[in-house]
């Protein structure tokens, strides 16, 4: 069964994500942040999530019954963390007869990481009001910034994707899908893609954001090509970024079937898995 029959304007939205080491919760109203809770739970999210949701709702002055939807980061990232968040979101949506929206945790990470690194207010990047607004402009054109979110997947791997961001965009726009990739191969691919562009066509900045930690040396291999346009920025996911990604998701696509919603357990591509085995 689905709860999509509950048709109501998505004004008040609860959003949360536990796919990284940071537990992030946001309460949004009309696209604006009312309250957030950010806890560095070191992936021990089950002990804190329900309390953090209650605290955020109380701080926003909104009862669960007044919500219009629930949004959740489905990963990719920590298998256990994503599963906890998705299960909680499905339970809330079903019990409250609300639509549920699954969103990419990497999109939220890209949004918040770029805003922090560039010294911007994440909310000022804006949220598209329609599918047409969401797709406006060609991603990856000159003047854009490339944003590569990273969640460590160990053994030289990261959950990652590629987005275009910039002041002229309502929100980060996807250029490559979410996947778990070998960082050495991924960085080589990005470098090859950049070399195909003339200097005038290249992005104004290339930003690796998120769990950069052990992946920073690999990202720095692009320094000779990019110089000061390369930025490697540690960033812990925040409620505001999850909330904005949730609002975008709710405004530009329908809700998910509550029982069918699952975490994004993305797998390493077979070719990369083979190379990884050969390196051991």
């Amino acid at each position: 069964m689905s709860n999509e029959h509950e048709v109501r304007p998505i004004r008040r939205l609860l959003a949360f994500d536990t796919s990284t080491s940071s537990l992030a919760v946001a309460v949004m109203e009309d696209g604006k942040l009312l309250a957030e809770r950010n806890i560095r739970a070191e992936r021990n999210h089950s002990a804190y999530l329900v309390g953090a949701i209650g605290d955020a709702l109380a701080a926003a002055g909104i009862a669960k019954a007044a919500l219009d939807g629930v949004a959740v980061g489905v990963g990719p990232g920590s298998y256990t963390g994503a599963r906890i968040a998705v299960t909680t979101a499905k339970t809330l949506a079903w019990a409250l007869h609300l639509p549920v929206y699954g969103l990419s945790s990497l999109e939220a990470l890209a949004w918040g990481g770029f805003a922090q690194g560039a010294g911007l207010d994440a909310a000022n990047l804006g949220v598209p009001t329609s599918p047409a607004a969401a797709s406006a402009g060609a991603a990856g054109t000159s003047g854009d910034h490339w944003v590569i979110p990273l969640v460590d997947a160990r053994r030289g791997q990261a959950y990652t994707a590629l987005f275009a961001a910039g002041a002229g965009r309502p929100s980060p726009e996807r250029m490559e899908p979410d996947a778990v990739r070998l960082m050495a191969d991924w960085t080589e691919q990005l470098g090859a893609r950049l070399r195909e562009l003339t200097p005038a066509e290249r992005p104004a900045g290339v930003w690796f954001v998120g769990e950069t930690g052990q992946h920073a040396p690999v990202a720095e291999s692009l320094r000779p090509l990019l110089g000061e346009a390369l930025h490697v920025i540690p960033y812990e996911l925040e409620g505001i970024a999850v909330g904005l990604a949730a609002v975008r998701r709710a405004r530009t696509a329908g809700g998910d079937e509550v029982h069918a919603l699952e975490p994004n357990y993305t797998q390493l591509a077979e070719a990369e898995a083979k190379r990884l085995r050969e390196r051991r």
Side-chain angles (χ1 to χ4, degrees):
M1 293 180 63
S2 168
N3 56 358
E4 291 181 70
H5 64 279
E6 295 287 336
V7 179
R8 47 171 111 172
I10 305 300
R11 293 190 60 235
R12 293 171 173 171
L13 189 63
L14 170 68
F16 50 89
D17 189 292
T18 61
S19 65
T20 73
S21 59
S22 176
L23 187 161
V25 180
V27 181
M28 309 293 289
E29 183 175 58
D30 295 328
K32 303 296 183 182
L33 179 71
L34 291 184
E36 68 179 329
R37 287 294 181 270
N38 301 304
I39 301 171
R40 184 165 180 79
E42 293 295 344
R43 294 187 167 89
N44 186 24
H45 300 301
S46 60
Y48 300 102
L49 179 57
V50 172
I53 289 172
D55 288 347
L57 288 169
I62 292 179
K64 289 180 183 178
L67 291 169
D68 299 304
V70 177
V72 60
V74 299
S78 162
Y79 284 17
T80 301
R83 187 166 62 249
I84 289 167
V86 169
T87 300
T88 302
K90 290 165 68 171
T91 301
L92 284 170
W94 180 253
L96 298 171
H97 303 286
L98 295 174
V100 63
Y101 303 91
L103 61 96
S104 164
S105 301
L106 290 178
E107 179 182 336
L109 196 67
W111 199 320
F114 173 69
Q116 177 177 286
L120 304 173
D121 181 347
N124 286 341
L125 294 180
V127 179
T129 56
S130 68
S135 60
T141 56
S142 178
D144 279 332
H145 295 258
W146 286 10
V147 186
I148 303 103
L150 301 177
V151 176
D152 183 42
R154 301 180 182 177
R155 298 184 300 175
Q157 305 165 76
Y159 300 104
T160 184
L162 175 62
F163 294 86
R169 293 190 171 279
S171 59
E173 294 301 319
R174 185 177 296 280
M175 296 173 65
E176 292 292 339
D178 295 351
V180 57
R181 297 175 169 98
L182 289 169
M183 274 296 293
D185 293 348
W186 177 226
T187 305
E188 287 179 9
Q189 293 171 26
L190 293 170
R193 188 165 178 169
L194 287 163
R195 291 183 184 92
E196 291 176 354
L197 304 173
T198 67
E201 294 171 330
R202 288 176 185 167
V206 174
W207 303 74
F208 288 85
V209 301
E211 296 180 1
T212 52
Q214 67 184 50
H215 302 298
V218 179
E220 285 289 342
S221 67
L222 294 176
R223 182 72 64 187
L225 176 65
L226 294 169
E228 294 184 358
L230 175 65
H231 309 274
V232 182
I233 307 294
Y235 171 72
E236 295 183 359
L237 188 58
E238 300 168 288
I240 179 62
V242 178
L244 289 169
V247 172
R248 181 185 193 278
R249 170 73 176 80
R251 287 182 176 176
T252 58
D256 290 294
E257 206 288 320
V258 67
H259 293 307
L261 183 64
E262 294 291 341
N264 179 9
Y265 296 133
T266 184
Q267 298 295 316
L268 190 67
E270 179 56 33
E272 291 186 312
K274 181 179 179 181
R275 284 194 291 273
L276 181 61
R277 290 192 295 269
E278 291 172 349
R279 290 174 183 175
R280 292 177 182 169

